[in-house]
Amino acid sequence: MHYATVEDFDEAWEYFHSNKEWFPHVRKSHVRNRLENGQLILQNNVLITQHEYQKTGPIGRNTDVISSKGDYIIHQIIAKNKGSGEASKVLKEYFEYVPTDVFLTVRANNENANKFYAKVGMEIVGTITWSQGKMPGLVWKYQQ
């Protein structure tokens, strides 16, 4: 996996800027923090923000899904070239790279993303909500 550095900020920011529909909450400071903490991957026209859980507990505030210490969570995955197959390839490489289970959350109404996660072998393991319960989401898991 190719971890991006602070020098890659402009390229990383462009992924989010071009996908405001799904990532309106992501600020430049968020991207910088991910880069500084080694939590942003840029590989083959695909961006992934992620980190390893440091303790066992719920994966979010409004869910009953529990992750274990050492599991990983993907916060965002964005393909520059939608439909090219690059995201599928990079995500499968990511699953091989991390030694444990991988979680992610996505808006329930993001049909394309939900179909994609099913296609790459993830399973729905629960639900989550954001915006004080007004925005429903799904919790997906790739089990090693």
Side-chain angles (χ1 to χ4, degrees), residues 63-65 104-106 123-128 137-141:
T63 184
D64 59 359
V65 176
L104 62 79
T105 60
V106 64
E123 294 184 12
I124 297 172
V125 293
T127 60
I128 191 167
L138 299 173
V139 180
W140 289 84
K141 179 180 181 181

Side-chain angles (χ1 to χ4, degrees), residues 61-141:
R61 289 189 190 113
N62 299 319
T63 184
D64 59 359
V65 176
I66 305 294
S67 69
S68 298
K69 179 180 180 178
D71 287 345
Y72 279 73
I73 185 163
I74 292 176
H75 297 287
Q76 290 98 14
I77 178 168
I78 309 169
K80 186 181 283 186
N81 305 312
K82 310 268 187 279
S84 68
E86 292 168 327
S88 180
K89 182 179 178 196
V90 170
L91 191 54
K92 287 177 183 178
E93 289 174 12
Y94 180 81
F95 292 152
E96 291 177 14
Y97 177 76
V98 296
T100 187
D101 296 340
V102 178
F103 292 87
L104 62 79
T105 60
V106 64
R107 294 182 200 179
N109 69 345
N110 189 338
E111 293 178 18
N112 289 338
N114 285 303
K115 287 179 188 175
F116 172 75
Y117 299 132
K119 179 180 164 185
V120 296
M122 299 187 83
E123 294 184 12
I124 297 172
V125 293
T127 60
I128 191 167
T129 62
W130 301 280
S131 298
Q132 299 171 340
K134 297 176 191 157
M135 184 184 299
L138 299 173
V139 180
W140 289 84
K141 179 180 181 181

Side-chain angles (χ1 to χ4, degrees), residues 4-16:
T5 65
V6 176
E7 288 77 30
D8 298 309
F9 174 81
D10 289 337
E11 181 182 358
W13 177 248
E14 185 55 36
Y15 281 82
F16 291 101

Side-chain angles (χ1 to χ4, degrees), residues 11-28:
E11 181 182 358
W13 177 248
E14 185 55 36
Y15 281 82
F16 291 101
H17 187 70
S18 298
N19 290 277
K20 286 183 181 181
E21 174 187 5
W22 298 112
F23 303 107
H25 59 288
V26 175
R27 307 285 182 254
K28 287 183 176 182

